[in-house]
Amino acid sequence: MGMSEATEQAAPKTKRPTRAHRREEILAAATRVFGSKGYHQGSLVDVAAQVGITHAGVLHHFGSKDKLLWEVLEYRDRVDVQHLEGKHIPGGMDLFRHLVTTARLNADRRGIVQAYAVLTGESVTDGHPASSWVAHRFSVLRGEISQAVLELATERDVRLPDGEAERAAGSVIALMDGLQLQWLLDPDAVDLAEATRFAIESILTATLGSTVEITGS
Amino acid sequence: MGMSEATEQAAPKTKRPTRAHRREEILAAATRVFGSKGYHQGSLVDVAAQVGITHAGVLHHFGSKDKLLWEVLEYRDRVDVQHLEGKHIPGGMDLFRHLVTTARLNADRRGIVQAYAVLTGESVTDGHPASSWVAHRFSVLRGEISQAVLELATERDVRLPDGEAERAAGSVIALMDGLQLQWLLDPDAVDLAEATRFAIESILTATLGSTVEITGS
DNA sequence: CCACACTTACTTACTGGTTAGTAAGTCAGT
DNA sequence: ACTGACTTACTAACCAGTAAGTAAGTGTGG
């Protein structure tokens, strides 16, 4: 298998859907299917039907169901970061503003929230293909958020007990995930954006020892 | 080899397990299976194997897989309330002490926590048989916890904004569920009991406007 | 004390359905 | 003419649920 020489990076537009485009369609469909039925219950036939091909066609592009899931998870990350103008995660108070904003947006993106909730829940089953992804994601988020907490503490000349920032970070993540679950099951019982803002403010206020308010982004 | 004549009906050494006992065995097995594999992925064959019978034997006792799940959920409730001495849910500060205590106990009952997390996550999929149970459970918990928040507020002569108690209650539940998820995926990253206490204290402190401490049970 | 009827707790065997994955062939576009 | 994007057709596995049979227990009348 000789390696071909470097090809141009710019993708030429063709009549037939390009490989990249078709893959994106399938990824979007898979996100919907895994979101509404879960990974195990959502079948490749379901995914394929949504893009008008057969399940073997999906496998042609992704090789196996597990690999498809992996790419779906990466795809979600990519889309998630996309709407972030700066293209990088903000720090300090901006991070928490961003979290609340995301919650507000999520209230109109039920499918994405559901996919995330379902896959996260499923991921704690034995040997689930998404478990390491979710665990890694939690770990990264805890790091970023605890960093932001530390920044706020420094700004306000507050000295935090050992591990307090990490604890607060874990709590904030837990809050958001848990609220999403309740909201998915009963959208009228929980105001996703408002509850998220309230809860994050509570955690920060208690952690920093002085009132914290998260103003509209 | 002759058995002495004795009419003991108080201590029936039945060779065959009684119906009630067998059902409990199956429920415990099903809890393990649904907890480790989820409802859809966990099969009746798995459950049956754990009690040494065939899957048809399980169906003999429970009729269908859906009905088995329902009884598993009720079973969990029964076991959960069992270790409560008063046999009724406490109110006010005692409720929050109870929640923290439960979290501490849960740290040594991974299986139960996992089953709850998996089924709750799965329940947000379309038409899942557990969804109404989980939704109802959330609703009841929100009611009980917001009631306790109101009691605390009254005790301390604090007047809460409209819906604040409900919001705090939802946050507390979200906290506990979310922390369990993180703990299941990485037990070293989260101290379940400590994080729960910290987070609930934070919510209560922020809600009531004065420091709240949850002392050991 | 036992015989008979009945019930319970299963098992074996099967049905109809669904699944991921494979292999081979078709056809359009370059 | 060749490559890539599929389809059709198939497989081997697994699933919940059903039906029918069996063995072991239980209650009852004599």
Side-chain angles (χ1 to χ4, degrees), chain A residues 95-96 99 116 120 134-146 149 165-181 196 199-200 203, chain B residues 171 174-182 190 199:
Chain A
L95 199 242
F96 297 103
L99 293 180
Y116 175 74
T120 301
V134 176
H136 178 257
R137 176 164 233 271
F138 276 148
S139 169
V140 169
L141 280 173
R142 270 194 302 265
E144 284 168 0
I145 296 175
S146 66
V149 171
E166 276 275 340
R167 212 153 22 223
S171 299
V172 167
I173 298 164
L175 235 343
M176 298 184 68
D177 291 339
L179 286 174
Q180 284 175 12
L181 269 180
T196 301
I200 292 181
I203 298 283
Chain B
S171 299
L175 234 342
M176 298 184 68
D177 291 339
L179 286 174
Q180 284 176 12
L181 269 179
Q182 290 177 56
V190 177

mmCIF file of all heavy atoms in Angstrom, chain A residues 95-96 99 116 120 134-146 149 165-181 196 199-200 203, chain B residues 171 174-182 190 199:
data_model
loop_
_atom_site.group_PDB
_atom_site.id
_atom_site.type_symbol
_atom_site.label_atom_id
_atom_site.label_comp_id
_atom_site.label_asym_id
_atom_site.label_seq_id
_atom_site.Cartn_x
_atom_site.Cartn_y
_atom_site.Cartn_z
ATOM 1 N N LEU A 95 -17.032 31.994 32.167
ATOM 2 C CA LEU A 95 -17.322 30.559 32.034
ATOM 3 C C LEU A 95 -18.717 30.258 32.561
ATOM 4 O O LEU A 95 -19.484 29.529 31.935
ATOM 5 C CB LEU A 95 -16.270 29.755 32.810
ATOM 6 C CG LEU A 95 -16.030 28.273 32.532
ATOM 7 C CD1 LEU A 95 -16.343 27.418 33.753
ATOM 8 C CD2 LEU A 95 -16.791 27.756 31.328
ATOM 9 N N PHE A 96 -19.052 30.814 33.708
ATOM 10 C CA PHE A 96 -20.358 30.526 34.298
ATOM 11 C C PHE A 96 -21.488 31.188 33.506
ATOM 12 O O PHE A 96 -22.569 30.623 33.359
ATOM 13 C CB PHE A 96 -20.367 30.968 35.761
ATOM 14 C CG PHE A 96 -19.362 30.206 36.577
ATOM 15 C CD1 PHE A 96 -18.153 30.787 36.943
ATOM 16 C CD2 PHE A 96 -19.592 28.883 36.924
ATOM 17 C CE1 PHE A 96 -17.216 30.076 37.653
ATOM 18 C CE2 PHE A 96 -18.651 28.165 37.647
ATOM 19 C CZ PHE A 96 -17.457 28.759 38.007
ATOM 20 N N LEU A 99 -22.071 28.856 30.761
ATOM 21 C CA LEU A 99 -22.836 27.667 31.169
ATOM 22 C C LEU A 99 -24.324 27.970 31.210
ATOM 23 O O LEU A 99 -25.154 27.180 30.740
ATOM 24 C CB LEU A 99 -22.357 27.170 32.536
ATOM 25 C CG LEU A 99 -20.939 26.599 32.589
ATOM 26 C CD1 LEU A 99 -20.597 26.132 34.006
ATOM 27 C CD2 LEU A 99 -20.783 25.435 31.613
ATOM 28 N N TYR A 116 -27.402 13.480 25.078
ATOM 29 C CA TYR A 116 -26.352 13.559 26.086
ATOM 30 C C TYR A 116 -26.766 12.831 27.365
ATOM 31 O O TYR A 116 -25.998 12.042 27.918
ATOM 32 C CB TYR A 116 -26.037 15.027 26.389
ATOM 33 C CG TYR A 116 -25.055 15.205 27.493
ATOM 34 C CD1 TYR A 116 -23.697 14.935 27.300
ATOM 35 C CD2 TYR A 116 -25.469 15.635 28.748
ATOM 36 C CE1 TYR A 116 -22.788 15.085 28.328
ATOM 37 C CE2 TYR A 116 -24.566 15.788 29.779
ATOM 38 C CZ TYR A 116 -23.231 15.514 29.564
ATOM 39 O OH TYR A 116 -22.343 15.656 30.598
ATOM 40 N N THR A 120 -25.010 9.415 28.625
ATOM 41 C CA THR A 120 -24.307 9.508 29.900
ATOM 42 C C THR A 120 -24.824 8.452 30.871
ATOM 43 O O THR A 120 -24.053 7.752 31.516
ATOM 44 C CB THR A 120 -24.476 10.906 30.512
ATOM 45 O OG1 THR A 120 -23.962 11.881 29.604
ATOM 46 C CG2 THR A 120 -23.727 11.013 31.831
ATOM 47 N N VAL A 134 -17.266 9.660 28.443
ATOM 48 C CA VAL A 134 -17.995 10.449 29.437
ATOM 49 C C VAL A 134 -17.102 10.752 30.637
ATOM 50 O O VAL A 134 -17.072 11.886 31.126
ATOM 51 C CB VAL A 134 -19.277 9.711 29.890
ATOM 52 C CG1 VAL A 134 -19.976 10.488 30.993
ATOM 53 C CG2 VAL A 134 -20.222 9.508 28.720
ATOM 54 N N ALA A 135 -16.371 9.741 31.072
ATOM 55 C CA ALA A 135 -15.486 9.943 32.226
ATOM 56 C C ALA A 135 -14.450 11.025 31.922
ATOM 57 O O ALA A 135 -14.190 11.907 32.743
ATOM 58 C CB ALA A 135 -14.787 8.632 32.582
ATOM 59 N N HIS A 136 -13.907 10.955 30.726
ATOM 60 C CA HIS A 136 -12.911 11.956 30.330
ATOM 61 C C HIS A 136 -13.528 13.345 30.274
ATOM 62 O O HIS A 136 -12.931 14.322 30.724
ATOM 63 C CB HIS A 136 -12.308 11.581 28.976
ATOM 64 C CG HIS A 136 -11.316 12.573 28.451
ATOM 65 N ND1 HIS A 136 -11.620 13.475 27.455
ATOM 66 C CD2 HIS A 136 -10.039 12.837 28.812
ATOM 67 C CE1 HIS A 136 -10.559 14.233 27.223
ATOM 68 N NE2 HIS A 136 -9.587 13.873 28.028
ATOM 69 N N ARG A 137 -14.731 13.396 29.735
ATOM 70 C CA ARG A 137 -15.432 14.664 29.616
ATOM 71 C C ARG A 137 -15.667 15.282 30.995
ATOM 72 O O ARG A 137 -15.424 16.476 31.207
ATOM 73 C CB ARG A 137 -16.772 14.406 28.930
ATOM 74 C CG ARG A 137 -17.664 15.599 28.819
ATOM 75 C CD ARG A 137 -18.757 15.315 27.788
ATOM 76 N NE ARG A 137 -18.782 16.376 26.805
ATOM 77 C CZ ARG A 137 -19.511 17.486 26.937
ATOM 78 N NH1 ARG A 137 -20.230 17.676 28.015
ATOM 79 N NH2 ARG A 137 -19.493 18.403 26.013
ATOM 80 N N PHE A 138 -16.114 14.464 31.933
ATOM 81 C CA PHE A 138 -16.322 14.950 33.298
ATOM 82 C C PHE A 138 -15.022 15.490 33.868
ATOM 83 O O PHE A 138 -14.985 16.549 34.496
ATOM 84 C CB PHE A 138 -16.844 13.820 34.190
ATOM 85 C CG PHE A 138 -18.339 13.616 34.124
ATOM 86 C CD1 PHE A 138 -18.894 12.353 34.282
ATOM 87 C CD2 PHE A 138 -19.193 14.685 33.919
ATOM 88 C CE1 PHE A 138 -20.269 12.169 34.227
ATOM 89 C CE2 PHE A 138 -20.566 14.514 33.866
ATOM 90 C CZ PHE A 138 -21.097 13.250 34.021
ATOM 91 N N SER A 139 -13.973 14.744 33.632
ATOM 92 C CA SER A 139 -12.674 15.128 34.183
ATOM 93 C C SER A 139 -12.228 16.490 33.637
ATOM 94 O O SER A 139 -11.783 17.368 34.385
ATOM 95 C CB SER A 139 -11.647 14.050 33.843
ATOM 96 O OG SER A 139 -10.354 14.493 34.140
ATOM 97 N N VAL A 140 -12.361 16.657 32.335
ATOM 98 C CA VAL A 140 -11.965 17.925 31.708
ATOM 99 C C VAL A 140 -12.819 19.081 32.234
ATOM 100 O O VAL A 140 -12.309 20.137 32.598
ATOM 101 C CB VAL A 140 -12.088 17.823 30.169
ATOM 102 C CG1 VAL A 140 -11.937 19.194 29.529
ATOM 103 C CG2 VAL A 140 -11.057 16.850 29.617
ATOM 104 N N LEU A 141 -14.125 18.834 32.283
ATOM 105 C CA LEU A 141 -15.027 19.882 32.759
ATOM 106 C C LEU A 141 -14.714 20.285 34.193
ATOM 107 O O LEU A 141 -14.679 21.473 34.524
ATOM 108 C CB LEU A 141 -16.474 19.405 32.664
ATOM 109 C CG LEU A 141 -17.119 19.475 31.285
ATOM 110 C CD1 LEU A 141 -18.496 18.817 31.300
ATOM 111 C CD2 LEU A 141 -17.242 20.926 30.826
ATOM 112 N N ARG A 142 -14.467 19.279 35.044
ATOM 113 C CA ARG A 142 -14.132 19.594 36.433
ATOM 114 C C ARG A 142 -12.887 20.468 36.497
ATOM 115 O O ARG A 142 -12.823 21.429 37.267
ATOM 116 C CB ARG A 142 -13.923 18.311 37.251
ATOM 117 C CG ARG A 142 -15.177 17.777 37.905
ATOM 118 C CD ARG A 142 -14.841 16.724 38.958
ATOM 119 N NE ARG A 142 -14.095 15.599 38.399
ATOM 120 C CZ ARG A 142 -14.656 14.462 37.987
ATOM 121 N NH1 ARG A 142 -15.960 14.297 38.081
ATOM 122 N NH2 ARG A 142 -13.922 13.490 37.486
ATOM 123 N N GLY A 143 -11.929 20.143 35.654
ATOM 124 C CA GLY A 143 -10.703 20.940 35.626
ATOM 125 C C GLY A 143 -10.964 22.374 35.212
ATOM 126 O O GLY A 143 -10.529 23.316 35.892
ATOM 127 N N GLU A 144 -11.713 22.540 34.142
ATOM 128 C CA GLU A 144 -11.974 23.882 33.631
ATOM 129 C C GLU A 144 -12.777 24.722 34.620
ATOM 130 O O GLU A 144 -12.483 25.899 34.860
ATOM 131 C CB GLU A 144 -12.739 23.795 32.300
ATOM 132 C CG GLU A 144 -11.851 23.405 31.127
ATOM 133 C CD GLU A 144 -12.649 23.035 29.891
ATOM 134 O OE1 GLU A 144 -13.892 23.084 29.938
ATOM 135 O OE2 GLU A 144 -12.023 22.686 28.882
ATOM 136 N N ILE A 145 -13.805 24.098 35.179
ATOM 137 C CA ILE A 145 -14.672 24.856 36.077
ATOM 138 C C ILE A 145 -13.963 25.180 37.394
ATOM 139 O O ILE A 145 -14.081 26.293 37.912
ATOM 140 C CB ILE A 145 -15.993 24.088 36.325
ATOM 141 C CG1 ILE A 145 -16.773 23.970 35.016
ATOM 142 C CG2 ILE A 145 -16.831 24.786 37.383
ATOM 143 C CD1 ILE A 145 -18.032 23.140 35.110
ATOM 144 N N SER A 146 -13.204 24.221 37.911
ATOM 145 C CA SER A 146 -12.509 24.512 39.173
ATOM 146 C C SER A 146 -11.466 25.601 38.946
ATOM 147 O O SER A 146 -11.214 26.437 39.815
ATOM 148 C CB SER A 146 -11.860 23.251 39.744
ATOM 149 O OG SER A 146 -10.823 22.800 38.905
ATOM 150 N N VAL A 149 -13.340 28.764 39.136
ATOM 151 C CA VAL A 149 -13.667 29.068 40.538
ATOM 152 C C VAL A 149 -12.461 29.693 41.228
ATOM 153 O O VAL A 149 -12.577 30.694 41.953
ATOM 154 C CB VAL A 149 -14.107 27.796 41.289
ATOM 155 C CG1 VAL A 149 -14.230 28.071 42.787
ATOM 156 C CG2 VAL A 149 -15.430 27.282 40.742
ATOM 157 N N ALA A 165 -12.489 24.084 45.415
ATOM 158 C CA ALA A 165 -12.775 24.455 44.025
ATOM 159 C C ALA A 165 -13.223 23.232 43.225
ATOM 160 O O ALA A 165 -14.194 23.282 42.459
ATOM 161 C CB ALA A 165 -11.552 25.101 43.380
ATOM 162 N N GLU A 166 -12.525 22.126 43.410
ATOM 163 C CA GLU A 166 -12.883 20.883 42.727
ATOM 164 C C GLU A 166 -14.290 20.431 43.120
ATOM 165 O O GLU A 166 -15.069 19.983 42.290
ATOM 166 C CB GLU A 166 -11.881 19.772 43.100
ATOM 167 C CG GLU A 166 -10.610 19.772 42.252
ATOM 168 C CD GLU A 166 -10.800 18.991 40.951
ATOM 169 O OE1 GLU A 166 -11.736 18.170 40.877
ATOM 170 O OE2 GLU A 166 -10.015 19.194 40.010
ATOM 171 N N ARG A 167 -14.559 20.562 44.428
ATOM 172 C CA ARG A 167 -15.862 20.145 44.921
ATOM 173 C C ARG A 167 -16.961 21.003 44.303
ATOM 174 O O ARG A 167 -18.006 20.508 43.890
ATOM 175 C CB ARG A 167 -15.885 20.258 46.441
ATOM 176 C CG ARG A 167 -16.740 19.235 47.090
ATOM 177 C CD ARG A 167 -16.319 18.878 48.510
ATOM 178 N NE ARG A 167 -15.516 19.874 49.171
ATOM 179 C CZ ARG A 167 -14.449 19.589 49.906
ATOM 180 N NH1 ARG A 167 -14.069 18.338 50.057
ATOM 181 N NH2 ARG A 167 -13.771 20.530 50.499
ATOM 182 N N ALA A 168 -16.703 22.295 44.254
ATOM 183 C CA ALA A 168 -17.686 23.201 43.649
ATOM 184 C C ALA A 168 -17.876 22.874 42.166
ATOM 185 O O ALA A 168 -19.005 22.868 41.659
ATOM 186 C CB ALA A 168 -17.238 24.645 43.819
ATOM 187 N N ALA A 169 -16.784 22.582 41.505
ATOM 188 C CA ALA A 169 -16.852 22.265 40.078
ATOM 189 C C ALA A 169 -17.701 21.015 39.843
ATOM 190 O O ALA A 169 -18.598 21.007 38.980
ATOM 191 C CB ALA A 169 -15.450 22.063 39.513
ATOM 192 N N GLY A 170 -17.413 19.976 40.629
ATOM 193 C CA GLY A 170 -18.200 18.757 40.513
ATOM 194 C C GLY A 170 -19.674 19.027 40.763
ATOM 195 O O GLY A 170 -20.546 18.479 40.071
ATOM 196 N N SER A 171 -19.948 19.874 41.727
ATOM 197 C CA SER A 171 -21.332 20.196 42.055
ATOM 198 C C SER A 171 -22.029 20.908 40.905
ATOM 199 O O SER A 171 -23.187 20.625 40.592
ATOM 200 C CB SER A 171 -21.374 21.085 43.307
ATOM 201 O OG SER A 171 -20.813 20.402 44.407
ATOM 202 N N VAL A 172 -21.317 21.832 40.281
ATOM 203 C CA VAL A 172 -21.916 22.578 39.171
ATOM 204 C C VAL A 172 -22.267 21.639 38.020
ATOM 205 O O VAL A 172 -23.361 21.698 37.440
ATOM 206 C CB VAL A 172 -20.961 23.686 38.683
ATOM 207 C CG1 VAL A 172 -21.422 24.252 37.351
ATOM 208 C CG2 VAL A 172 -20.871 24.797 39.724
ATOM 209 N N ILE A 173 -21.354 20.738 37.714
ATOM 210 C CA ILE A 173 -21.615 19.778 36.634
ATOM 211 C C ILE A 173 -22.792 18.885 36.991
ATOM 212 O O ILE A 173 -23.690 18.655 36.172
ATOM 213 C CB ILE A 173 -20.369 18.922 36.363
ATOM 214 C CG1 ILE A 173 -19.220 19.807 35.907
ATOM 215 C CG2 ILE A 173 -20.659 17.849 35.332
ATOM 216 C CD1 ILE A 173 -17.869 19.133 35.992
ATOM 217 N N ALA A 174 -22.774 18.398 38.225
ATOM 218 C CA ALA A 174 -23.855 17.524 38.690
ATOM 219 C C ALA A 174 -25.196 18.227 38.565
ATOM 220 O O ALA A 174 -26.173 17.670 38.062
ATOM 221 C CB ALA A 174 -23.605 17.109 40.137
ATOM 222 N N LEU A 175 -25.221 19.455 39.004
ATOM 223 C CA LEU A 175 -26.409 20.298 38.899
ATOM 224 C C LEU A 175 -26.971 20.324 37.496
ATOM 225 O O LEU A 175 -28.157 20.074 37.279
ATOM 226 C CB LEU A 175 -25.974 21.715 39.243
ATOM 227 C CG LEU A 175 -26.671 22.492 40.324
ATOM 228 C CD1 LEU A 175 -28.006 21.867 40.655
ATOM 229 C CD2 LEU A 175 -25.793 22.531 41.544
ATOM 230 N N MET A 176 -26.120 20.647 36.561
ATOM 231 C CA MET A 176 -26.584 20.805 35.189
ATOM 232 C C MET A 176 -27.110 19.486 34.630
ATOM 233 O O MET A 176 -28.167 19.445 34.004
ATOM 234 C CB MET A 176 -25.451 21.351 34.328
ATOM 235 C CG MET A 176 -24.990 22.725 34.792
ATOM 236 S SD MET A 176 -23.722 23.453 33.735
ATOM 237 C CE MET A 176 -24.643 23.760 32.242
ATOM 238 N N ASP A 177 -26.379 18.408 34.887
ATOM 239 C CA ASP A 177 -26.824 17.103 34.396
ATOM 240 C C ASP A 177 -28.142 16.695 35.035
ATOM 241 O O ASP A 177 -29.062 16.230 34.363
ATOM 242 C CB ASP A 177 -25.751 16.041 34.680
ATOM 243 C CG ASP A 177 -24.515 16.244 33.833
ATOM 244 O OD1 ASP A 177 -24.615 16.907 32.793
ATOM 245 O OD2 ASP A 177 -23.441 15.741 34.217
ATOM 246 N N GLY A 178 -28.212 16.867 36.351
ATOM 247 C CA GLY A 178 -29.420 16.464 37.064
ATOM 248 C C GLY A 178 -30.632 17.279 36.655
ATOM 249 O O GLY A 178 -31.734 16.745 36.501
ATOM 250 N N LEU A 179 -30.428 18.565 36.475
ATOM 251 C CA LEU A 179 -31.544 19.418 36.056
ATOM 252 C C LEU A 179 -32.034 19.026 34.670
ATOM 253 O O LEU A 179 -33.237 19.034 34.392
ATOM 254 C CB LEU A 179 -31.120 20.892 36.074
ATOM 255 C CG LEU A 179 -30.996 21.521 37.462
ATOM 256 C CD1 LEU A 179 -30.419 22.930 37.360
ATOM 257 C CD2 LEU A 179 -32.346 21.552 38.169
ATOM 258 N N GLN A 180 -31.100 18.677 33.809
ATOM 259 C CA GLN A 180 -31.493 18.237 32.469
ATOM 260 C C GLN A 180 -32.382 17.003 32.537
ATOM 261 O O GLN A 180 -33.388 16.900 31.820
ATOM 262 C CB GLN A 180 -30.248 17.955 31.625
ATOM 263 C CG GLN A 180 -29.568 19.227 31.138
ATOM 264 C CD GLN A 180 -28.266 18.966 30.396
ATOM 265 O OE1 GLN A 180 -27.971 17.833 30.046
ATOM 266 N NE2 GLN A 180 -27.508 20.013 30.157
ATOM 267 N N LEU A 181 -32.028 16.068 33.393
ATOM 268 C CA LEU A 181 -32.835 14.857 33.557
ATOM 269 C C LEU A 181 -34.264 15.213 33.960
ATOM 270 O O LEU A 181 -35.230 14.738 33.362
ATOM 271 C CB LEU A 181 -32.223 13.955 34.632
ATOM 272 C CG LEU A 181 -31.222 12.911 34.182
ATOM 273 C CD1 LEU A 181 -30.720 12.126 35.383
ATOM 274 C CD2 LEU A 181 -31.870 11.964 33.188
ATOM 275 N N THR A 196 -30.741 26.556 36.403
ATOM 276 C CA THR A 196 -29.294 26.449 36.286
ATOM 277 C C THR A 196 -28.614 27.699 36.849
ATOM 278 O O THR A 196 -27.656 27.605 37.628
ATOM 279 C CB THR A 196 -28.895 26.259 34.805
ATOM 280 O OG1 THR A 196 -29.515 25.074 34.295
ATOM 281 C CG2 THR A 196 -27.377 26.131 34.670
ATOM 282 N N ALA A 199 -28.916 27.742 40.672
ATOM 283 C CA ALA A 199 -28.097 26.743 41.360
ATOM 284 C C ALA A 199 -26.612 27.081 41.281
ATOM 285 O O ALA A 199 -25.876 26.957 42.271
ATOM 286 C CB ALA A 199 -28.353 25.367 40.749
ATOM 287 N N ILE A 200 -26.175 27.547 40.126
ATOM 288 C CA ILE A 200 -24.762 27.900 40.007
ATOM 289 C C ILE A 200 -24.451 29.097 40.908
ATOM 290 O O ILE A 200 -23.431 29.113 41.606
ATOM 291 C CB ILE A 200 -24.396 28.208 38.536
ATOM 292 C CG1 ILE A 200 -24.473 26.927 37.703
ATOM 293 C CG2 ILE A 200 -22.994 28.802 38.449
ATOM 294 C CD1 ILE A 200 -24.099 27.117 36.248
ATOM 295 N N ILE A 203 -24.075 27.819 44.456
ATOM 296 C CA ILE A 203 -22.801 27.147 44.705
ATOM 297 C C ILE A 203 -21.684 28.179 44.829
ATOM 298 O O ILE A 203 -20.865 28.132 45.761
ATOM 299 C CB ILE A 203 -22.471 26.166 43.549
ATOM 300 C CG1 ILE A 203 -23.537 25.082 43.459
ATOM 301 C CG2 ILE A 203 -21.082 25.566 43.742
ATOM 302 C CD1 ILE A 203 -23.438 24.003 44.486
ATOM 303 N N SER B 171 -32.864 21.588 42.622
ATOM 304 C CA SER B 171 -31.411 21.653 42.591
ATOM 305 C C SER B 171 -30.781 20.572 43.458
ATOM 306 O O SER B 171 -29.795 19.945 43.067
ATOM 307 C CB SER B 171 -30.940 23.027 43.073
ATOM 308 O OG SER B 171 -31.437 24.036 42.224
ATOM 309 N N ALA B 174 -31.100 17.280 41.695
ATOM 310 C CA ALA B 174 -30.187 17.271 40.558
ATOM 311 C C ALA B 174 -28.760 17.009 41.021
ATOM 312 O O ALA B 174 -28.033 16.197 40.446
ATOM 313 C CB ALA B 174 -30.259 18.595 39.813
ATOM 314 N N LEU B 175 -28.394 17.701 42.055
ATOM 315 C CA LEU B 175 -27.078 17.540 42.668
ATOM 316 C C LEU B 175 -26.767 16.092 42.971
ATOM 317 O O LEU B 175 -25.721 15.558 42.586
ATOM 318 C CB LEU B 175 -27.108 18.284 44.006
ATOM 319 C CG LEU B 175 -26.072 19.322 44.336
ATOM 320 C CD1 LEU B 175 -24.864 19.162 43.430
ATOM 321 C CD2 LEU B 175 -26.668 20.687 44.174
ATOM 322 N N MET B 176 -27.678 15.473 43.695
ATOM 323 C CA MET B 176 -27.440 14.103 44.139
ATOM 324 C C MET B 176 -27.325 13.154 42.946
ATOM 325 O O MET B 176 -26.421 12.314 42.902
ATOM 326 C CB MET B 176 -28.556 13.670 45.083
ATOM 327 C CG MET B 176 -28.597 14.534 46.344
ATOM 328 S SD MET B 176 -29.833 13.989 47.543
ATOM 329 C CE MET B 176 -29.152 12.430 48.075
ATOM 330 N N ASP B 177 -28.222 13.305 41.991
ATOM 331 C CA ASP B 177 -28.186 12.433 40.816
ATOM 332 C C ASP B 177 -26.899 12.642 40.021
ATOM 333 O O ASP B 177 -26.242 11.688 39.607
ATOM 334 C CB ASP B 177 -29.396 12.694 39.918
ATOM 335 C CG ASP B 177 -30.691 12.221 40.564
ATOM 336 O OD1 ASP B 177 -30.612 11.376 41.468
ATOM 337 O OD2 ASP B 177 -31.760 12.704 40.165
ATOM 338 N N GLY B 178 -26.563 13.909 39.807
ATOM 339 C CA GLY B 178 -25.373 14.206 39.017
ATOM 340 C C GLY B 178 -24.102 13.738 39.695
ATOM 341 O O GLY B 178 -23.191 13.214 39.037
ATOM 342 N N LEU B 179 -24.032 13.903 40.995
ATOM 343 C CA LEU B 179 -22.843 13.451 41.714
ATOM 344 C C LEU B 179 -22.706 11.936 41.634
ATOM 345 O O LEU B 179 -21.598 11.407 41.509
ATOM 346 C CB LEU B 179 -22.910 13.903 43.175
ATOM 347 C CG LEU B 179 -22.649 15.390 43.405
ATOM 348 C CD1 LEU B 179 -22.893 15.765 44.871
ATOM 349 C CD2 LEU B 179 -21.212 15.759 43.015
ATOM 350 N N GLN B 180 -23.839 11.255 41.699
ATOM 351 C CA GLN B 180 -23.792 9.798 41.592
ATOM 352 C C GLN B 180 -23.213 9.366 40.249
ATOM 353 O O GLN B 180 -22.400 8.443 40.175
ATOM 354 C CB GLN B 180 -25.196 9.207 41.784
ATOM 355 C CG GLN B 180 -25.637 9.210 43.232
ATOM 356 C CD GLN B 180 -27.067 8.726 43.405
ATOM 357 O OE1 GLN B 180 -27.666 8.185 42.482
ATOM 358 N NE2 GLN B 180 -27.610 8.920 44.589
ATOM 359 N N LEU B 181 -23.623 10.055 39.198
ATOM 360 C CA LEU B 181 -23.098 9.740 37.867
ATOM 361 C C LEU B 181 -21.576 9.876 37.836
ATOM 362 O O LEU B 181 -20.860 8.983 37.393
ATOM 363 C CB LEU B 181 -23.698 10.684 36.825
ATOM 364 C CG LEU B 181 -24.973 10.246 36.134
ATOM 365 C CD1 LEU B 181 -25.423 11.321 35.160
ATOM 366 C CD2 LEU B 181 -24.737 8.933 35.390
ATOM 367 N N GLN B 182 -21.096 11.016 38.317
ATOM 368 C CA GLN B 182 -19.649 11.246 38.299
ATOM 369 C C GLN B 182 -18.923 10.231 39.162
ATOM 370 O O GLN B 182 -17.855 9.733 38.805
ATOM 371 C CB GLN B 182 -19.342 12.670 38.785
ATOM 372 C CG GLN B 182 -19.777 13.738 37.806
ATOM 373 C CD GLN B 182 -19.513 15.135 38.354
ATOM 374 O OE1 GLN B 182 -18.401 15.488 38.712
ATOM 375 N NE2 GLN B 182 -20.567 15.934 38.422
ATOM 376 N N VAL B 190 -14.615 11.833 43.065
ATOM 377 C CA VAL B 190 -15.703 12.446 43.828
ATOM 378 C C VAL B 190 -15.913 11.700 45.142
ATOM 379 O O VAL B 190 -16.024 10.477 45.147
ATOM 380 C CB VAL B 190 -17.022 12.412 43.012
ATOM 381 C CG1 VAL B 190 -18.165 12.993 43.830
ATOM 382 C CG2 VAL B 190 -16.866 13.144 41.708
ATOM 383 N N ALA B 199 -22.666 20.363 48.783
ATOM 384 C CA ALA B 199 -23.557 20.972 47.790
ATOM 385 C C ALA B 199 -24.916 21.327 48.391
ATOM 386 O O ALA B 199 -25.465 22.397 48.121
ATOM 387 C CB ALA B 199 -23.737 20.019 46.612
#
